Amino acid sequence: MVRAPWQSPGAPAPSDAGRSEPAGVPVEPGTVRIAVDLLGGDDAPAVVVDGALRAVRADPHLHLLLVGPAAVAGEVIRALDPVERTRVAVRPVDAVVGMADHPSAARADSTVRAAVQAVRAGAADALLSAGSTGATVTAAALGLGRWPDVRHPALVATLPAVGGPVVLLDVGGSLESRPMNLARHAVLGAAYASVAHGITAPRVGLLSVGTEPGKGDRARRLADPLLAAAVLPHGGRYVGLVEGYDVSLGARADVVVTDGFTGNVLLKAIEGAYAMAGGAPAGGGAPRAAALLGVAGTVVVCHGAARAGDVASGIALAAHLWRRRAADLVRALLAGADAPDLENRTDRTTDTEVPTS
Amino acid sequence: MVRAPWQSPGAPAPSDAGRSEPAGVPVEPGTVRIAVDLLGGDDAPAVVVDGALRAVRADPHLHLLLVGPAAVAGEVIRALDPVERTRVAVRPVDAVVGMADHPSAARADSTVRAAVQAVRAGAADALLSAGSTGATVTAAALGLGRWPDVRHPALVATLPAVGGPVVLLDVGGSLESRPMNLARHAVLGAAYASVAHGITAPRVGLLSVGTEPGKGDRARRLADPLLAAAVLPHGGRYVGLVEGYDVSLGARADVVVTDGFTGNVLLKAIEGAYAMAGGAPAGGGAPRAAALLGVAGTVVVCHGAARAGDVASGIALAAHLWRRRAADLVRALLAGADAPDLENRTDRTTDTEVPTS
């Protein structure tokens, strides 16, 4: 077996029994094909190459479609075992979207747009990019189409919290705080919490500067009654205003709704606080991968400063969401369909997580 | 000597040599009189009574004007040594502003308005309240007057960061994100960093979702060139856009400017992250006291959930700011006056911090 450079000689060889589980996302069975934007990210392609290798080795049912320069894709393939190479395909593309480019500047032949096209054409089930968030959101919305009742797709991140995972949205899909957006995203967040994390009857809170009714800026004061009136899927209920603490405490809400500007800043502030506190908690640090909800497909965005482990986590998250049919189920919940039998889904998944060594 | 309930029998008696230094604010010489709102805060009056006692014992030059019910003030006085009691005066007031009340609902006879009046009338040098932030800001702006060129006063908090303290503003003085506000607050923040913390040539960043020019929502995109064109006091310079990480890392900026909604949410999110990480870092946790800049007086606001230690820190901060003539100096810097000789002030203060036991 060829050993990847980050494996120490004494490390166990990848196998079903020794599966790594990046960022707490368990490996689930079922073949899934992820299109990976090789050129997206501050430290691309190096970290994307490393991340792709980690992901392939961690999940024996994972296939990758590497979208980018053939030479870069070749680095991934050469580092793999011959048997693993059968799970990797290449779509050669050379143009990248810069982090400073305007989102709509993504050229038709850019890696992120080619990855979107691969999903649209059925050559891949989902896509991951660590490139410019704005460009990925724009390319996905244009290439895959938006859900008819979601004007502004949301980026959804799941954070470890004292009381269990907390779903935070929007963390950068759209940056302006519009009350109707906040209300729509509350529904999306509740659906995502139930579908992606098996949280039943999710408690949904609106992030503000105090918990008393009326606290907050104009957008929050207008959104509060809209959220109170919203019908939340899967038994979700609106618990009112929550505060910054609640994102990491998780005692008051399972889903915290905010605008993409505040959510993005908040997520990075929590990551910075962990650094100041001496490191991320044992339960995992702030996530560097987020799911895009509101487009007709499974799209995961990694932070531009993503490292190899973050890219691997992002690929695993995309696989997890596709295997759970998360995009379809969230879409169905949003359209008022019956809630799927999530408890059974969760149980079945949990069984497969236990390695029988 | 009467022992306060939180002192264990073996603890050293309060003295100059054994001074506590709440929240890293050193005790400086010079008599200072702080008006304390006894009824402000979720857990008032108990935590305010405890906080006031701690503050009096920690700083032998501190005098308090207790504003609230005579019975509550009596609890403070009875717990003090007879010699310490000479440093405490009482202004009996019974009405409080509730956390859910509208800011302008603060009655003329409320504790916070009485505390503001005491400062205005010269009976106290500064005031502290852990009550509704909005009510305190409104009472201070109306009672003390705003600086003519600051339409929206800002709450300023100083956070411990990996690279040294970071001044964050606004953390809740005003909640809407207006580009002109952000530019004005950048000047206030630079002045505060130099006057209150002795930071020379402070680096000022505008909080956004990326560091590349053009990143952010509409308010940030409009504010960026305004900050770039602003003349920052005391050699301050605008370093452009910064991200959420930078608040706790401190590597890119000494002053981080944002709107009061985002700043408030951020500050509490960092506090929550510390809890998730297992506790605040050795350098101190997220502050629960913030200075109000833009009104003609020294005003410190504590978080509504403040504990006794937070109240004591807030009182110490108010004393520190008054001793440094911070409000006057920031006001002068804002008006374009010559920068004061801060280095000498810092040195002098540092000398007095060393106890000669």
Side-chain angles (χ1 to χ4, degrees):
Chain A
M1 166 162 293
V2 177
R3 227 175 263 282
W6 59 85
Q7 280 189 284
S8 68
S15 74
D16 269 25
R19 276 177 182 171
S20 71
E21 298 186 356
V25 178
V27 171
E28 292 159 303
T31 299
V32 56
R33 304 160 304 156
I34 311 293
V36 176
D37 174 2
L38 287 177
L39 295 185
D42 300 342
D43 300 314
V47 295
V48 184
V49 167
D50 276 6
L53 283 169
R54 291 190 196 196
V56 168
R57 292 171 182 279
D59 180 350
H61 305 290
L62 176 74
H63 291 236
L64 296 186
L65 176 65
L66 304 174
V67 183
V72 175
E75 288 181 48
V76 176
I77 292 168
R78 280 192 300 278
L80 289 171
D81 231 17
V83 70
E84 289 166 338
R85 290 176 190 168
T86 59
R87 293 193 277 126
V88 176
V90 180
R91 177 146 308 184
V93 179
D94 289 322
V96 66
V97 184
M99 292 303 276
D101 289 343
H102 192 270
S104 61
R107 292 162 47 182
D109 60 348
S110 69
T111 47
V112 70
R113 286 189 61 175
V116 166
Q117 286 309 317
V119 172
R120 181 178 184 160
D125 301 315
L127 78 90
L128 170 118
S129 176
S132 156
T133 298
T136 305
V137 172
T138 303
L142 294 177
L144 302 175
R146 273 184 286 242
W147 293 342
D149 37 10
V150 177
R151 190 176 167 81
H152 297 279
L155 274 175
V156 187
T158 305
L159 291 93
V162 175
V166 167
V167 169
L168 176 68
L169 79 167
D170 178 13
V171 299
S174 63
L175 300 178
E176 306 297 334
S177 53
R178 299 178 183 90
M180 275 303 294
N181 253 17
L182 294 168
R184 204 78 196 119
H185 289 175
V187 181
L188 275 182
Y192 184 83
S194 62
V195 169
H197 300 295
I199 298 172
T200 51
R203 300 161 301 163
V204 177
L206 175 63
L207 189 65
S208 194
V209 300
T211 58
E212 301 86 359
K215 292 273 176 177
D217 61 357
R218 187 164 180 275
R220 267 29 78 154
R221 292 196 306 274
L222 291 172
D224 183 37
L226 297 179
L227 268 76
V231 177
L232 298 176
H234 214 265
R237 63 191 171 87
Y238 178 55
V239 297
L241 304 180
V242 298
E243 295 181 273
Y245 319 109
D246 295 302
V247 176
S248 287
L249 297 184
R252 303 190 67 241
D254 306 300
V255 178
V256 173
V257 180
T258 191
D259 61 277
F261 179 85
T262 305
N264 186 287
V265 161
L266 198 69
L267 191 60
K268 293 171 180 169
I270 289 171
E271 187 174 332
Y274 286 156
M276 176 66 189
R288 288 189 147 193
L292 183 65
L293 289 186
V295 298
T298 302
V299 178
V300 170
V301 174
C302 267
H303 188 270
R307 293 176 298 259
D310 304 317
V311 171
S313 294
I315 294 171
L317 175 61
H320 170 76
L321 295 176
W322 191 81
R323 283 168 173 147
R324 288 213 160 191
R325 298 190 297 126
D328 290 346
L329 290 172
V330 169
R331 173 80 194 89
L333 283 172
L334 203 64
D338 287 334
D341 186 357
L342 288 163
E343 286 189 51
N344 282 351
R345 291 183 59 84
T346 307
D347 287 344
R348 186 163 56 73
T349 307
T350 306
D351 285 343
T352 66
E353 286 169 28
V354 182
T356 52
S357 60
Chain B
M1 168 160 292
V2 177
R3 227 176 262 285
W6 60 84
Q7 282 188 285
S8 69
S15 74
D16 269 24
R19 277 176 182 173
S20 72
E21 297 187 355
V25 178
V27 171
E28 295 159 303
T31 298
V32 55
R33 303 160 304 155
I34 311 294
V36 176
D37 173 2
L38 287 177
L39 294 185
D42 299 343
D43 299 315
V47 295
V48 185
V49 167
D50 276 6
L53 283 169
R54 292 190 195 194
V56 168
R57 291 170 182 280
D59 180 349
H61 305 290
L62 176 73
H63 291 235
L64 295 187
L65 176 64
L66 303 175
V67 184
V72 175
E75 288 180 48
V76 176
I77 292 168
R78 279 192 301 276
L80 289 171
D81 229 18
V83 69
E84 290 166 339
R85 290 176 191 168
T86 59
R87 293 193 276 126
V88 176
V90 180
R91 176 146 310 184
V93 178
D94 289 321
V96 66
V97 184
M99 293 301 278
D101 289 343
H102 191 273
S104 61
R107 292 162 46 180
D109 59 349
S110 69
T111 46
V112 69
R113 288 190 60 177
V116 165
Q117 287 309 318
V119 172
R120 181 178 185 160
D125 301 315
L127 78 90
L128 170 117
S129 177
S132 155
T133 299
T136 305
V137 172
T138 303
L142 295 177
L144 302 174
R146 274 185 286 241
W147 294 340
D149 37 10
V150 177
R151 189 174 167 80
H152 297 280
L155 274 175
V156 188
T158 305
L159 290 93
V162 176
V166 167
V167 169
L168 176 68
L169 79 166
D170 178 12
V171 298
S174 62
L175 299 178
E176 305 298 333
S177 52
R178 300 178 182 90
M180 276 303 294
N181 253 15
L182 294 168
R184 204 77 197 121
H185 288 175
V187 181
L188 274 182
Y192 185 82
S194 61
V195 169
H197 299 297
I199 299 172
T200 51
R203 300 162 300 163
V204 178
L206 176 64
L207 189 65
S208 193
V209 300
T211 57
E212 301 86 358
K215 292 273 176 177
D217 61 357
R218 187 164 182 275
R220 269 25 84 154
R221 292 196 307 274
L222 291 172
D224 183 36
L226 298 178
L227 268 76
V231 177
L232 298 176
H234 213 266
R237 63 191 171 86
Y238 178 55
V239 298
L241 304 181
V242 298
E243 295 181 273
Y245 320 108
D246 295 302
V247 176
S248 288
L249 298 183
R252 305 189 68 241
D254 306 300
V255 179
V256 172
V257 179
T258 191
D259 61 276
F261 180 85
T262 306
N264 186 287
V265 161
L266 198 69
L267 190 61
K268 293 171 181 171
I270 289 171
E271 187 173 331
Y274 286 156
M276 177 64 190
R288 289 189 146 192
L292 183 65
L293 289 186
V295 299
T298 302
V299 177
V300 170
V301 174
C302 267
H303 187 271
R307 293 176 298 258
D310 304 317
V311 171
S313 295
I315 294 171
L317 174 62
H320 170 77
L321 295 175
W322 191 82
R323 284 168 173 147
R324 288 214 159 189
R325 296 190 299 127
D328 290 347
L329 290 172
V330 169
R331 173 81 195 88
L333 284 171
L334 203 65
D338 286 334
D341 187 356
L342 288 164
E343 285 189 54
N344 282 351
R345 291 185 58 84
T346 307
D347 287 345
R348 185 163 56 75
T349 307
T350 306
D351 286 344
T352 64
E353 285 168 27
V354 182
T356 52
S357 58

